[in-house]
Amino acid sequence: MICILLVAGHGTVLEAQIKNDETGLYSHLTGVPKALLPGVGGRKILDFWWETVNMRQLFTEVYLVTNADKYKYYERWATANDFPVENIVNDGSTTLEDRLGAVADLELVIRSRKLQDDIMVIAGDMLCADQNFDIAQVIRFFRSEPGELIIYYELEESEKSSSRGIVEVCPDTHRVTRFLEKPQDGLTASRLASVVFYCLQRDTLSHLSDFLRLQPQASFGRFWEWLVNEKQLDVLGMKLPTGFQLIGQVGLSDYTKWLTHYSTNQQDNPAKPITYRSFARVGLMGNPSDGFNGKTIAMSISNFWAEVTLVESQTLVLVPHPLNDPTEFGSLQDLFCISRKEGYLGGLRLLQATCKKFYQFCSKQGIALTKQNFTLKYDTNIPRQVGLAGSSAIVSATLKCLMKFYNITDNDLPKPIRANFILNVETDELFITAGLQDRVVQVYEGLVYMDFSKNLMAEQGYGNYVSMDMSGLPHFWLAYLSDPSDSGRIHSNIRQRWLSGEPLVVEAMKSFAELTDQARLALQDRDWRRLAQLMDQNFELRRSVYTDDCLGPGNLKMVLLARQFGSAVKLPGSGGAVVGLCLDEEKLSAGHDVEPPPSDPLSRICQVEMRQAFQEAGCVFCVIAPYNPSASTVGGQH
């Protein structure tokens, strides 16, 4: 591939304003061509681009196209920066009026140097907000699909789409479906701005001369309008999550404004740690797994969380957790006991798999990441092996950090797709048996109704996810085995039975979905007595399908213990824990508000006697603190 840097524009406005500036602050820049003006960090703008493309393993040659008026400046620059002077092409123009135009300048280089290779074209007088993007990733994406490539970015709020070339990009195929050069308001809802940063296939270069016969001196924007809208060539779009500003015909105020803006953005985030939490979840209603095209309601709880911190660093480092990823032991016996109890799989593999999948996703989705490195570390207090979604919480928190660090937005990775991504990290990379429910509630947070019906999953690749009102919820409790083992896990061939169409299992899954819809209404109506009844029915339905042997003695022990105290109870996950709702019957029968007052979070029996009973049975008991994303700052960035 050959790279061509375009610096032949005549910046008459900016040059004149620098010359006439009465402050004297810019007198040393009088006559200096645009691309050699200071950029972000004080380096010349062209210095940055030359450093970016000066890689022999990527480009066989790099050419620079300038005009006759500024040729000597670039010749001197080339000598000082080890740029081959013979690769500077002079287009002969000396004024704005006799300019060739960007398309004609590109065609001049290709024709005069008889170039017959794929071409990357970049405007050398373009400010870039983040100067660390990976240009090799751009080339890999260009070569992965047939077609031309346009680089775009998402406009900042202060930027008007009417001042830029705007692309409309299909999110599935990444094909540019329409190109609009400086569109008037209302013509498109797109905020994706094309910049002079393109890749052209060698077979497409002949179109340049065809276009110039129609529109001499035309801009690249008009060329792409013609190529995309009229010729309907295959053109792909790739996003760089950073800002760009071409200083072609801008004035001094715009140049200094964007230079200050980009420099300030870099100073604001030099190495500031990014920290996010994701929370454990409890399944309140629905089928025991979300792999049966059923329905569920789940809630994130702030009692238990996984927290991940990312900070920029020279190399990429994944820090092992001292407890969950032990590398030092007191003795061989200590190693034996820890390995027997906790196994060999800590959280480090989750960090690594998330990073690997994230890079793979961005490359496939046409998002070029910066070349920044980072250090990742994590912490978690989610109990292991009790079905509270501890692994997915680590993956979810890691993904939040990576998105923030690389400026990946919800438009790039929408919430439904994000849940799929987290699931794929665990199932595809680590071969963990899992479903979507945990990942959905950890992405949306709060109380979430989920419909995984077959038609929805087939048509859009994800279910229907609805965040529910959490105000005035009753107080739930949670108990889990303090020393979980296989007794807390549910072993079953239920999925094979469902796939084979066994009537008992198929009907049970339909019943789980019906219970979920009824529970949704009970939650909306604040009918807590009805909700408690549905929770009990949910467990009994699960028991009828799985049988007591499959459910395991530890789970049954906790359910039966809770029922001795009149509490509604069910399993919130895959086993090892139970979630319950203990209502005060005296208040219910007296017609009072069924929600226990804050000063008495559970009835006296739940608060004292049942807690003690669970503790004496070797379980951990706690009152659930629901995590409400709309009313809390705990789950955001720290």
Side-chain angles (χ1 to χ4, degrees):
M1 174 172 270
I2 293 170
C3 180
I4 299 174
L5 299 171
L6 301 178
V7 293
H10 295 271
T12 54
V13 176
L14 182 56
E15 187 170 347
Q17 290 183 2
I18 288 175
K19 182 178 180 180
N20 298 324
D21 179 60
E22 296 180 354
T23 67
L25 296 174
Y26 304 99
S27 59
H28 62 292
L29 299 178
T30 302
V32 174
K34 296 170 298 178
L36 298 182
L37 291 172
V40 179
R43 288 190 301 169
K44 295 179 178 66
I45 299 173
L46 185 59
D47 288 347
F48 157 66
W49 289 113
W50 172 228
E51 182 181 310
T52 300
V53 303
N54 186 19
M55 290 187 281
R56 284 292 176 185
Q57 66 270 32
L58 299 180
F59 301 104
T60 55
E61 293 288 348
V62 178
Y63 290 92
L64 189 73
V65 191
T66 185
N67 53 54
D69 185 47
K70 300 297 183 184
Y71 177 81
K72 288 299 294 183
Y73 281 93
Y74 290 109
E75 185 181 51
R76 183 68 56 83
W77 171 87
T79 303
N81 289 274
D82 198 28
F83 184 94
V85 175
E86 64 274 16
N87 282 9
I88 302 178
V89 178
N90 188 337
D91 75 358
S93 65
T94 56
T95 65
L96 182 64
E97 290 68 32
D98 71 349
R99 72 190 185 281
L100 271 65
V103 179
D105 278 328
L106 174 61
E107 194 270 342
L108 168 64
V109 185
I110 293 169
R111 175 168 42 83
S112 64
R113 300 304 173 95
K114 298 180 174 55
L115 304 183
Q116 296 181 344
D117 200 351
D118 295 338
I119 301 291
M120 177 178 285
V121 187
I122 300 173
D125 56 352
M126 186 164 57
L127 287 171
C128 180
D130 195 321
Q131 306 193 5
N132 273 313
F133 60 82
D134 187 356
I135 202 163
Q137 197 177 7
V138 174
I139 295 173
R140 282 195 296 272
F141 184 72
F142 169 62
R143 289 173 173 164
S144 69
E145 300 283 347
E148 321 313 315
L149 180 64
I150 287 177
I151 298 298
Y152 65 88
Y153 78 102
E154 199 160 348
L155 289 172
E156 298 193 17
E157 290 185 8
S158 60
E159 296 181 85
K160 294 182 179 180
S161 56
S162 58
S163 66
R164 309 303 298 270
I166 300 298
V167 292
E168 295 176 356
V169 183
C170 174
D172 298 322
T173 64
H174 315 298
R175 182 177 176 182
V176 177
T177 56
R178 195 157 66 131
F179 191 106
L180 298 144
E181 176 67 358
K182 299 179 180 178
Q184 295 180 351
D185 292 341
L187 279 180
T188 178
S190 175
R191 297 276 297 167
L192 306 178
S194 165
V195 295
V196 183
F197 193 155
Y198 317 117
C199 293
L200 293 164
Q201 299 177 109
R202 69 184 72 187
D203 295 337
T204 309
L205 300 181
S206 60
H207 287 289
L208 290 168
S209 54
D210 297 339
F211 172 75
L212 288 170
R213 281 192 286 270
L214 299 172
Q215 299 187 48
Q217 286 192 327
S219 67
F220 264 119
R222 297 303 177 194
F223 173 68
W224 286 110
E225 274 189 326
W226 177 74
L227 211 58
V228 173
N229 305 347
E230 295 185 31
K231 301 293 288 184
Q232 295 188 339
L233 261 64
D234 288 331
V235 178
L236 299 174
M238 185 176 198
K239 179 179 180 180
L240 283 180
T242 183
F244 292 90
Q245 285 297 322
L246 187 66
I247 63 169
Q249 295 302 317
V250 306
L252 181 59
S253 61
D254 283 329
Y255 162 65
T256 55
K257 179 189 75 173
W258 284 110
L259 192 59
T260 302
H261 177 62
Y262 287 163
S263 298
T264 302
N265 283 353
Q266 287 199 352
Q267 291 169 6
D268 286 345
N269 301 296
K272 187 177 180 180
I274 298 169
T275 300
Y276 279 102
R277 278 186 176 182
S278 286
F279 297 95
R281 70 92 193 92
V282 291
L284 292 182
M285 194 63 57
N287 53 288
S289 171
D290 37 48
F292 303 103
N293 299 125
K295 298 177 180 180
T296 65
I297 294 175
M299 179 172 66
S300 51
I301 63 174
S302 59
N303 307 64
F304 301 109
W305 44 262
E307 182 176 277
V308 175
T309 297
L310 181 152
V311 63
E312 189 171 355
S313 56
Q314 289 295 316
T315 58
L316 200 156
V317 181
L318 306 179
V319 180
H321 191 278
L323 296 179
N324 301 322
D325 307 290
T327 56
E328 294 186 18
F329 302 89
S331 65
L332 189 59
Q333 180 183 354
D334 184 30
L335 181 149
F336 168 77
C337 293
I338 290 174
S339 302
R340 182 179 62 177
K341 181 178 175 61
E342 300 186 8
Y344 309 100
L345 303 176
L348 204 61
R349 64 183 182 134
L350 299 170
L351 302 185
Q352 185 171 349
T354 307
C355 292
K356 186 252 187 184
K357 203 74 173 178
F358 179 77
Y359 183 87
Q360 180 181 345
F361 173 87
C362 290
S363 297
K364 187 176 180 181
Q365 292 298 116
I367 301 171
L369 300 176
T370 58
K371 292 193 291 186
Q372 297 162 281
N373 284 323
F374 54 82
T375 294
L376 272 181
K377 63 179 181 179
Y378 78 99
D379 193 12
T380 181
N381 72 345
I382 301 176
R384 297 180 65 175
Q385 300 181 5
V386 295
L388 296 180
S391 294
S392 59
I394 295 174
V395 176
S396 175
T398 303
L399 181 59
K400 290 178 187 177
C401 289
L402 291 172
M403 289 179 66
K404 178 70 174 179
F405 185 66
Y406 287 108
N407 194 29
I408 303 300
T409 68
D410 285 347
N411 291 330
D412 302 316
L413 189 47
K415 285 185 176 181
I417 306 303
R418 203 182 310 169
N420 290 353
F421 174 95
I422 296 168
L423 177 64
N424 291 337
V425 169
E426 297 178 78
T427 57
D428 296 353
E429 298 297 319
L430 302 173
F431 307 105
I432 297 172
T433 302
L436 270 171
Q437 176 182 220
D438 301 356
R439 291 86 203 155
V440 171
V441 72
Q442 285 170 338
V443 167
Y444 283 81
E445 299 183 323
L447 183 66
V448 186
Y449 167 88
M450 293 162 264
D451 180 356
F452 300 101
S453 67
K454 187 175 182 179
N455 289 339
L456 282 173
M457 297 300 292
E459 290 172 7
Q460 60 188 26
Y462 52 86
N464 179 32
Y465 311 136
V466 181
S467 295
M468 300 181 65
D469 182 12
M470 298 184 72
S471 61
L473 284 177
H475 292 280
F476 297 93
W477 58 266
L478 178 74
Y480 59 90
L481 300 173
S482 59
D483 187 19
S485 62
D486 284 346
S487 64
R489 291 182 172 272
I490 295 175
H491 301 279
S492 173
N493 59 350
I494 192 75
R495 183 162 184 80
Q496 287 74 21
R497 293 164 62 193
W498 179 72
L499 290 171
S500 65
E502 183 180 324
L504 174 66
V505 177
V506 172
E507 289 303 313
M509 296 306 163
K510 291 180 182 178
S511 298
F512 279 124
E514 293 169 1
L515 289 175
T516 302
D517 285 335
Q518 293 175 43
R520 184 182 183 186
L521 291 174
L523 283 160
Q524 291 171 346
D525 296 339
R526 300 297 188 263
D527 188 348
W528 309 134
R529 176 182 284 171
R530 178 60 179 150
L531 180 62
Q533 293 170 348
L534 291 168
M535 289 176 67
D536 282 331
Q537 290 179 43
N538 198 110
F539 176 75
E540 289 305 322
L541 180 60
R542 186 168 185 175
R543 190 176 186 180
S544 70
V545 177
Y546 280 78
T547 74
D548 289 354
D549 289 340
C550 292
L551 286 172
N555 296 313
L556 282 174
K557 178 182 73 173
M558 291 187 289
V559 170
L560 295 175
L561 185 57
R563 287 184 170 176
Q564 291 179 20
F565 295 90
S567 177
V569 65
K570 67 178 292 293
L571 274 62
S574 59
V578 291
V579 59
L581 175 57
C582 190
L583 299 174
D584 192 323
E585 288 296 327
E586 291 183 5
K587 291 177 184 176
L588 287 170
S589 60
H592 295 165
D593 185 349
V594 295
E595 181 191 350
S599 60
D600 183 20
L602 295 173
S603 68
R604 187 183 64 84
I605 294 176
C606 286
Q607 188 177 29
V608 181
E609 296 182 15
M610 190 168 69
R611 179 193 294 268
Q612 291 176 353
F614 269 98
Q615 291 170 341
E616 292 170 4
C619 299
V620 180
F621 183 96
C622 63
V623 178
I624 284 177
Y627 174 67
N628 186 347
S630 63
S632 176
T633 60
V634 176
Q637 185 180 0
H638 294 254

